[in-house]
Amino acid sequence: MSGESLRKGEQTQARILDAAYDLFMAQGYHGTSMRQIAERADLTLGGVYNHFASKEDIWVAVLLERHPYRAVMPLLRTAEGDTAEAFVRNAAQRLVGELSKRKDLLHLMFIELIEFNGAHIPTLYAHIAPELLPLFDVVSARAAGLRPLSLPVLARSFLGFFFSYYVTEALMPPVLRALMGDDALDAFIDIYLHGVLADGVARGELQGATTWRSEAEMHRENPLESAQSATSSFC
Amino acid sequence: MSGESLRKGEQTQARILDAAYDLFMAQGYHGTSMRQIAERADLTLGGVYNHFASKEDIWVAVLLERHPYRAVMPLLRTAEGDTAEAFVRNAAQRLVGELSKRKDLLHLMFIELIEFNGAHIPTLYAHIAPELLPLFDVVSARAAGLRPLSLPVLARSFLGFFFSYYVTEALMPPVLRALMGDDALDAFIDIYLHGVLADGVARGELQGATTWRSEAEMHRENPLESAQSATSSFC
DNA sequence: AAAATAATAACGAACGTTCGCTTTTTTCTG
DNA sequence: CAGAAAAAAGCGAACGTTCGTTATTATTTT
């Protein structure tokens, strides 16, 4: 019962981080107490302090160990597709797929931003910087099919565009999300690849091409009734 | 000294909301105490409770009164431009301009999401639903120049894409942001209008067209050194 | 036997909220 | 317009609870 197994203390430490992660995600940092962490880790309050000196130390450990880059970067690094379009499609689907499976991933960063004003972000980036650069190489290998945008612009627009898929998922009124249907991601990818303008169209099939004009006209016909029905479905 | 002026209690109530808003933005909901709110509103702790029954009531009042839609929707409703492209450009510049001037706008929604799990979002949308629909009409009037995407997809991609401009502004390592330069927004708009693919290019000048390939190759030459220099600039 | 880990109990401080009282403001009335 | 009556607003202290943290003591693991 030794050798490859973790030492007792390391197991407990991992249990504390597990408990803290779950609670932070559900209630935020200030909304979570040390007593809750201790109880969920099957430990007494005092016992926790044998492994972490403070509550904030627990947060930093959680942040460094569970930050979303850790989960997202391998997905992007191994994305498939020879052409730029196929690669972007695959990478976007992987990214959003993972984000929607694990809605907590970005949550961690938002807690850091909101409750700490990003005070630990420099520490975080110092921790993951070595993993960032190989990612650039993957993108640059497919650069031939892309317009000559700068690498930071590309990275930021790609991540931002599909991160926003997650954010709007949470922020949008349910009734609007329902109108969007299940192929919303395909429509997002399409916009990212080809833009919203109609000028250079005729690039093949367009998913998400619905009867939206008639919807809008319906709104114009009787805006008040639409507003009221929308209002009621919000609640 | 009466008539058009506010009653005394309403002034104080507004002062409480001002104070609470500032503190919530800086420290989050759970990170802010009623005593801090009282002090910043030049009031005693007990006095606050003459105007709000609880701390959470203050939060809801702040959320309903200061939510970003209130500031953003008039900007979009009065955006100019006859063609779809001109309109999108103008609307995006207005949106991001306002977001970067007032970095707190989205913060409010994130606090709601993180510290309350969005418990008040239905209330919020019930509150602003009547303002949402006129916005749809504005977009549908310019629909001719856009590809036939559904209205919700258009709304979500537009807001999401440029909201993400704000989010990545806060999340990205400073060294990457610096690489992007000041014309990053123009590049964002361009991507939203025309996409990232090179297939339908030759649409005129392209801002942000830098020597990014050489940068990437520099990284490939000596990845470790780049990583270390990047690491050091993070801190 | 030594070192690491856990439990117990307690600390002072801060939390949201309530209370009784005084002062100010508004409204009613002559 | 004055002044009393009513209502609203503000104060200061205290409530009971929970917070993060820390000693001290007991129990396991090495």
Side-chain angles (χ1 to χ4, degrees), chain A residues 74-173:
Chain A
L75 291 178
L76 299 182
R77 198 160 45 227
T78 63
E80 295 160 3
D82 296 331
T83 69
E85 167 156 4
F87 175 75
V88 167
R89 247 179 229 288
N90 188 238
Q93 267 154 357
R94 280 170 176 241
L95 174 63
V96 174
E98 187 68 15
L99 286 180
S100 58
K101 254 191 306 182
R102 300 194 44 199
K103 295 200 188 296
D104 50 276
L105 280 179
L106 276 181
H107 226 102
L108 195 73
M109 300 305 293
F110 287 140
I111 294 176
E112 168 63 25
L113 283 184
I114 283 167
E115 304 202 52
F116 292 99
N117 262 311
H120 308 108
I121 296 247
T123 308
L124 174 60
Y125 274 112
H127 199 246
I128 66 172
E131 303 178 47
L132 260 167
L133 291 168
L135 208 55
F136 288 170
D137 285 348
V138 173
V139 176
S140 70
R142 269 85 166 192
L146 299 176
R147 295 155 68 206
L149 299 157
S150 83
L151 189 55
V153 165
L154 258 184
R156 181 165 162 185
S157 63
F158 177 82
L159 289 177
F161 198 50
F162 296 104
F163 276 6
S164 79
Y165 188 84
Y166 158 92
V167 173
T168 54
E169 183 94 14
L171 276 179
M172 277 210 129

Side-chain angles (χ1 to χ4, degrees), chain A:
Chain A
M1 59 192 70
S2 67
E4 83 278 5
S5 154
L6 259 51
R7 287 226 321 279
K8 179 80 184 303
E10 289 168 355
Q11 283 176 253
T12 317
Q13 191 158 323
R15 244 171 41 234
I16 294 174
L17 290 183
D18 277 343
Y21 180 78
D22 292 345
L23 290 165
F24 287 153
M25 289 306 116
Q27 313 172 342
Y29 175 83
H30 288 105
T32 299
S33 72
M34 290 294 282
R35 283 165 179 82
Q36 287 176 311
I37 294 175
E39 185 183 18
R40 186 177 258 257
D42 274 321
L43 214 63
T44 15
L45 182 59
V48 177
Y49 282 89
N50 284 318
H51 301 273
F52 295 94
S54 71
K55 185 184 176 188
E56 187 165 350
D57 275 10
I58 297 181
W59 168 254
V60 173
V62 166
L63 185 68
L64 294 185
E65 195 176 85
R66 314 279 175 105
H67 61 83
Y69 300 92
R70 183 90 73 197
V72 163
M73 285 197 292
L75 291 178
L76 299 182
R77 198 160 45 227
T78 63
E80 295 160 3
D82 296 331
T83 69
E85 167 156 4
F87 175 75
V88 167
R89 247 179 229 288
N90 188 238
Q93 267 154 357
R94 280 170 176 241
L95 174 63
V96 174
E98 187 68 15
L99 286 180
S100 58
K101 254 191 306 182
R102 300 194 44 199
K103 295 200 188 296
D104 50 276
L105 280 179
L106 276 181
H107 226 102
L108 195 73
M109 300 305 293
F110 287 140
I111 294 176
E112 168 63 25
L113 283 184
I114 283 167
E115 304 202 52
F116 292 99
N117 262 311
H120 308 108
I121 296 247
T123 308
L124 174 60
Y125 274 112
H127 199 246
I128 66 172
E131 303 178 47
L132 260 167
L133 291 168
L135 208 55
F136 288 170
D137 285 348
V138 173
V139 176
S140 70
R142 269 85 166 192
L146 299 176
R147 295 155 68 206
L149 299 157
S150 83
L151 189 55
V153 165
L154 258 184
R156 181 165 162 185
S157 63
F158 177 82
L159 289 177
F161 198 50
F162 296 104
F163 276 6
S164 79
Y165 188 84
Y166 158 92
V167 173
T168 54
E169 183 94 14
L171 276 179
M172 277 210 129
V175 65
L176 270 190
R177 255 188 292 144
L179 281 175
M180 228 168 323
D182 293 333
D183 57 350
L185 175 58
D186 291 329
F188 257 59
I189 297 176
D190 211 70
I191 290 174
Y192 186 69
L193 289 171
H194 300 118
V196 290
L197 287 189
D199 57 356
V201 190
R203 298 186 179 88
E205 21 56 68
L206 263 187
Q207 293 110 332
T210 69
T211 60
W212 73 284
R213 191 189 301 273
S214 63
E215 281 176 36
E217 274 161 5
M218 190 193 69
H219 287 163
R220 220 185 333 262
E221 278 171 17
N222 196 341
L224 206 70
E225 190 187 61
S226 315
Q228 282 167 346
S229 72
T231 307
S232 62
S233 49
F234 286 149
C235 320

Side-chain angles (χ1 to χ4, degrees), chain B residues 37-54:
Chain B
I37 294 175
E39 185 183 17
R40 185 177 259 256
D42 273 321
L43 215 64
T44 349
L45 183 57
V48 178
Y49 283 88
N50 284 318
H51 301 274
F52 295 94
S54 71

